[in-house]
Amino acid sequence: MPSPPSGMAWKLRFFGFPGLICACLSISVASVIRPVSDAHRSAALELFVPVDGSFRSLEEAYQALRTFQILGLERTYDISHATCPIISEILGSSSKPEDLFHALRVNSILGCQIGTQIFEDVASRLLVGIKEANSLMDFYYSVLSLFYIKQQGSSIVLLDADVIFDSIKAHGQSDGRYLSDSDNSEPSTHAAGIALETLAGVLSLADSDMDQSKIEVVKNDIVKLFDSIKSYDDGTLYFDEKRIGDTEYRGPLATTASVVHGVTAFAAIVSGKLEINGDKMAGLAKFFLSIGIPGRTNDIYIQLESLSCLENNRISIPLILSFPAAVLSLSSKDHLKADVTTVFGSAAPPLTVNLVQVFSLDSEDVPILENKELQFDPENSIHYLDLLPLKVDVGKYILFFEISLHDPDHLNIYATGGRIKAFFFFTGIIKADKAAVGIFDTDAENAVALQKLDLSRDNTVSLAANHLKKMHLNFQLLTPLGHTFKPHQVFLKLRHESKVEHIFALESSAGKYKVLLDFLGLVEKFYYLSGRYDIKLSVGDAAMENSFLRAIGHIDLDLPESPEKAARPPPQPIDPYLRFVPKQEISHIFTAPEKRPPEELSSAFLVLTLLPLVGFLIGLLHLGVNLKGFPSSSVPAFCSILFHGGIGAILLLYVFFWLKLDLFTTLEALGLLGVFLIFVGHRTLSHHASTPTKLKTT
């Protein structure tokens, strides 16, 4: 029995996430259906990341564990240390059935060490509570919780399973939908999926076989439920509900997932096969795959859980036809390739892929190609078709495929999806032919006067005209099969030497592109600017592999003088990248140094400046040093030594200033030395001033 859906799956008010809405709205235009791939695995690893060893809730923990289990990923973290105590606490207390349900399904994957007696106690409480259940969700939580306890090895039997079955079935309606509760609730397709899954759980826990007539009634309800399925024109199917008043709206994703879970669970437990067309199962699979890679944890869990139910159901296993590339190059001789797998990329049984019809989007009435069988490459397990012999031209096409199974017995196992619609885009080299340009006096062309152009390269045509002349330019574009090609963009650009540009769109006429520039009517548009205009032709289209912007040449225009009230050319925008170009080098001009005296005169002046210092030193040597007044006590003597040393430091500072120091550094050092000299000099002079007084006192 498949695992039940997330609690959040039926609590969503909106359609999951905004990108899903866009995907579903645009799927009828073009859809890219691919099976589950490594991109889903990478997304799951990025989305499901625990915080401090645990997730925010048991519901989110189950979504992570179940997603990793479906994708076959190994967990890079261990949440059992933080989660198992929570599970044990919930199971050991008188918790609500909803809390027990979340705890038991997390434990079914995590495998916490829970005693058998605890499971039996929980089962006893649930068996008592299920008899008092009224709402559909009460039955769902209780029955599915008992199912998980049974998976742990406990012996769980519903003795009154038929009564519970009837109580749940009483919520059903004639159209296959169900009521969430019996108190004025609206019928819901989403509730139908919940009911079917609950009924499957009751059947798995019943002590005896259920009355087959009751099961047949449920089977008929399922058929009625599928009558309300919605579809897109490419075969994608989904379930949705209308917004009614203030009722809770869950959107197509949650509603479709609920039905898929319920139907596949019920089909897995009953005998016989449900009467559901296999193509509908394939359409549901396409719906979930068309979502792409969801960006939210809840959405990717719902997507993968639903696809897992479809991958292993007893109704029909969907086969997915996917294409490695939907844009093919005719010039590169690309092959049309198709791959057929299950929704999770498992190999398909032996089959054949047929290209039934090919329609061009320009003419969808008559097919341009029919009934081509794709070849099979067993080495790469891919189906392919060579397009070159089929004479397919560039453009957009709608292709219809059909899958044929080789073994007739596989028709009861697999769903091929019927006729499959796909959009393809073929590109190629477009030939520019019969290009010519010329200047004439009238609208009529003279083929002799036209100058031929080669649009495969730049041209250097030189033209001259005044305001009474007209310029003619024409060419044609041909596809690889020689058909006329009409690109999305064809522009002619004239650029004046003052950088003023004028752009003209070219229109197709009789398979050719022509432009006639009447300069008399364009003088105001050209702002009466005479001079040289560079001419360029731009042709571009998504189907063109050789879109181009070609230089045609230039034209020298002689236009009349501008009237006083004529419009002036608009100011040209300044290129923002000009701010990053190298700036012009700035040449600095300094004041010329003044004329200096001769070197001999400067040297003589230096000697004369030093003579007083020399005389002072000689005088000191002749007179001798008088140390009689030097203090004898320790503190005054130390201050005197520092005072004389400070004076010497100042003299040395003057020498360094002369040799290398600048004025600011010298003044800074001189200020520090000055403060120091004031302090030690004051102590020294105070001592010398007090000495005579002491002698007189003695």
Side-chain angles (χ1 to χ4, degrees):
M1 175 178 173
S3 298
S6 164
M8 193 176 292
W10 56 79
K11 294 181 180 177
L12 287 174
R13 291 184 176 273
F14 302 101
F15 187 68
F17 56 99
L20 186 57
I21 299 177
C22 299
C24 292
L25 291 177
S26 62
I27 195 171
S28 60
V29 179
S31 58
V32 179
I33 307 298
R34 301 187 189 282
V36 175
S37 62
D38 290 337
H40 287 82
R41 296 177 176 85
S42 299
L45 291 171
E46 293 179 2
L47 292 174
F48 292 105
V49 179
V51 179
D52 297 330
S54 64
F55 290 94
R56 291 176 296 179
S57 64
L58 290 178
E59 183 179 12
E60 186 176 343
Y62 177 76
Q63 291 178 356
L65 295 171
R66 179 59 180 154
T67 300
F68 279 34
Q69 185 182 61
I70 293 172
L71 295 176
L73 293 173
E74 293 185 4
R75 299 194 300 272
T76 57
Y77 45 79
D78 185 9
I79 63 172
S80 58
H81 298 294
T83 307
C84 285
I86 299 176
I87 295 175
S88 299
E89 181 182 354
I90 293 175
L91 297 181
S93 62
S94 300
S95 302
K96 298 183 299 182
E98 181 179 2
D99 297 333
L100 295 173
F101 165 74
H102 290 305
L104 287 168
R105 67 175 185 166
V106 171
N107 183 69
S108 66
I109 300 178
L110 203 56
C112 300
Q113 298 297 323
I114 307 295
T116 305
Q117 186 61 41
I118 295 178
F119 285 126
E120 293 179 356
D121 293 341
V122 173
S124 300
R125 297 200 305 269
L126 290 171
L127 289 172
V128 173
I130 200 172
K131 298 178 180 179
E132 302 174 356
N134 292 319
S135 68
L136 183 60
M137 296 310 302
D138 290 340
F139 283 111
Y140 176 80
Y141 289 133
S142 299
V143 171
L144 269 296
S145 296
L146 290 171
F147 175 78
Y148 283 122
I149 294 176
K150 184 178 181 178
Q151 282 187 329
Q152 299 296 323
S154 300
S155 177
I156 304 296
V157 176
L158 286 179
L159 299 178
D160 50 356
D162 55 342
V163 177
I164 298 174
F165 191 96
D166 292 339
S167 299
I168 299 172
K169 186 65 181 68
H171 290 76
Q173 303 296 298
S174 59
D175 58 358
R177 296 183 298 169
Y178 275 71
L179 301 173
S180 298
D181 54 58
S182 56
D183 297 333
N184 300 323
S185 63
E186 293 291 337
S188 167
T189 305
H190 183 274
I194 299 298
L196 291 173
E197 194 167 2
T198 308
L199 292 174
V202 172
L203 293 176
S204 65
L205 298 173
D207 60 336
S208 60
D209 293 338
M210 188 67 61
D211 186 354
Q212 190 63 31
S213 62
K214 296 181 179 180
I215 296 178
E216 292 299 326
V217 171
V218 177
K219 288 183 178 181
N220 292 332
D221 290 343
I222 293 176
V223 174
K224 294 177 182 178
L225 185 65
F226 269 77
D227 291 339
S228 64
I229 199 168
K230 301 180 183 299
S231 66
Y232 292 106
D233 59 359
D234 67 340
T236 300
L237 303 177
Y238 67 98
F239 290 92
D240 198 6
E241 295 178 314
K242 295 181 180 179
R243 295 179 182 269
I244 302 176
D246 297 331
T247 57
E248 189 176 10
Y249 177 71
R250 297 170 180 84
L253 178 61
T255 302
T256 308
S258 176
V259 174
V260 168
H261 295 170
V263 171
T264 54
F266 192 81
I269 200 67
V270 299
S271 59
K273 193 172 183 179
L274 299 182
E275 297 298 327
I276 298 177
N277 192 326
D279 292 344
K280 292 185 177 181
M281 304 302 289
L284 293 172
K286 291 179 64 176
F287 170 76
F288 290 109
L289 291 175
S290 67
I291 297 172
I293 311 296
R296 296 195 335 181
T297 55
N298 186 70
D299 298 320
I300 194 172
Y301 160 72
I302 293 178
Q303 180 197 44
L304 295 175
E305 181 70 88
S306 303
L307 291 174
S308 176
C309 294
L310 293 171
E311 176 88 352
N312 303 285
N313 76 89
R314 289 186 56 223
I315 304 171
S316 288
I317 299 175
L319 295 178
I320 302 300
L321 178 65
S322 59
F323 306 96
V327 179
L328 304 177
S329 172
L330 298 178
S331 61
S332 301
K333 300 180 181 180
D334 290 345
H335 286 177
L336 170 62
K337 296 181 180 180
D339 190 16
V340 183
T341 62
T342 64
V343 293
F344 279 92
S346 300
L351 51 82
T352 299
V353 178
N354 296 300
L355 178 58
V356 181
Q357 287 180 323
V358 178
F359 291 91
S360 173
L361 284 182
D362 297 330
S363 58
E364 300 184 28
D365 299 331
V366 180
I368 64 173
L369 198 64
E370 289 184 304
N371 299 324
K372 296 294 180 182
E373 180 180 329
L374 276 67
Q375 302 298 315
F376 181 67
D377 180 5
E379 183 177 352
N380 299 311
S381 299
I382 200 82
H383 301 263
Y384 69 93
L385 180 65
D386 188 3
L387 297 173
L388 193 60
L390 303 180
K391 302 297 181 181
V392 179
D393 215 342
V394 299
K396 299 178 182 178
Y397 293 88
I398 303 176
L399 279 64
F400 290 93
F401 297 87
E402 285 185 355
I403 299 175
S404 302
L405 296 170
H406 294 174
D407 189 347
D409 294 337
H410 288 160
L411 294 174
N412 298 322
I413 302 175
Y414 296 96
T416 59
R419 178 170 289 199
I420 302 168
K421 180 180 180 181
F423 292 84
F424 276 81
F425 197 67
F426 298 144
T427 65
I429 301 295
I430 302 300
K431 181 181 179 182
D433 195 20
K434 299 181 180 179
V437 65
I439 302 295
F440 301 95
D441 296 328
T442 63
D443 293 347
E445 293 182 357
N446 184 353
V448 178
L450 286 173
Q451 299 186 50
K452 293 184 178 181
L453 301 173
D454 182 4
L455 295 182
S456 64
R457 57 181 179 83
D458 290 338
N459 297 264
T460 58
V461 174
S462 178
L463 303 174
N466 56 29
H467 63 288
L468 300 177
K469 301 290 186 178
K470 300 177 182 181
M471 188 180 83
H472 294 248
L473 172 66
N474 57 66
F475 60 94
Q476 68 180 34
L477 300 173
L478 301 176
T479 65
L481 296 184
H483 300 148
T484 301
F485 181 73
K486 186 176 181 180
H488 286 159
Q489 297 179 350
V490 183
F491 297 111
L492 182 69
K493 181 171 71 174
L494 274 68
R495 180 184 176 92
H496 189 253
E497 52 195 358
S498 62
K499 298 183 180 181
V500 177
E501 293 183 350
H502 306 282
I503 298 177
F504 303 90
L506 278 66
E507 298 294 337
S508 176
S509 175
K512 279 190 174 184
Y513 281 90
K514 296 182 179 181
V515 63
L516 174 64
L517 298 184
D518 186 355
F519 296 119
L520 182 59
L522 295 173
V523 289
E524 292 186 2
K525 181 179 177 66
F526 282 21
Y527 305 107
Y528 296 89
L529 292 177
S530 299
R532 173 172 171 151
Y533 286 81
D534 292 326
I535 308 173
K536 290 187 178 181
L537 178 64
S538 175
V539 179
D541 190 275
M544 286 184 64
E545 297 179 6
N546 58 330
S547 297
F548 58 83
L549 174 62
R550 292 280 181 259
I552 303 299
H554 71 274
I555 181 172
D556 291 315
L557 282 181
D558 183 13
L559 302 180
E561 293 292 332
S562 172
E564 293 183 2
K565 296 183 179 180
R568 306 304 301 169
Q572 298 302 305
I574 300 176
D575 187 356
Y577 292 101
L578 290 178
R579 61 188 298 184
F580 302 111
V581 301
K583 303 297 182 182
Q584 185 178 2
E585 184 179 356
I586 301 175
S587 298
H588 297 278
I589 301 177
F590 297 95
T591 303
E594 296 181 359
K595 187 177 180 180
R596 296 183 179 182
E599 184 178 353
E600 295 79 5
L601 181 61
S602 298
S603 300
F605 181 78
L606 177 62
V607 172
L608 293 175
T609 304
L610 295 176
L611 283 178
L613 178 61
V614 175
F616 172 72
L617 295 175
I618 294 174
L620 287 178
L621 294 175
H622 179 73
L623 296 175
V625 180
N626 184 8
L627 298 177
K628 294 180 178 180
F630 199 83
S632 57
S633 57
S634 59
V635 175
F638 181 69
C639 290
S640 296
I641 293 173
L642 293 178
F643 177 69
H644 289 83
I647 295 176
I650 291 177
L651 295 175
L652 184 62
L653 179 64
Y654 289 161
V655 173
F656 278 106
F657 172 64
W658 177 267
L659 295 176
K660 60 184 297 186
L661 295 181
D662 57 80
L663 178 62
F664 295 102
T665 305
T666 304
L667 289 177
E668 182 180 354
L670 186 62
L672 296 175
L673 289 174
V675 174
F676 173 74
L677 284 176
I678 290 174
F679 176 74
V680 296
H682 179 267
R683 296 295 301 270
T684 301
L685 295 177
S686 297
H687 174 74
H688 282 286
S690 62
T691 300
T693 304
K694 292 181 180 180
L695 293 175
K696 290 178 181 180
T697 304
T698 304

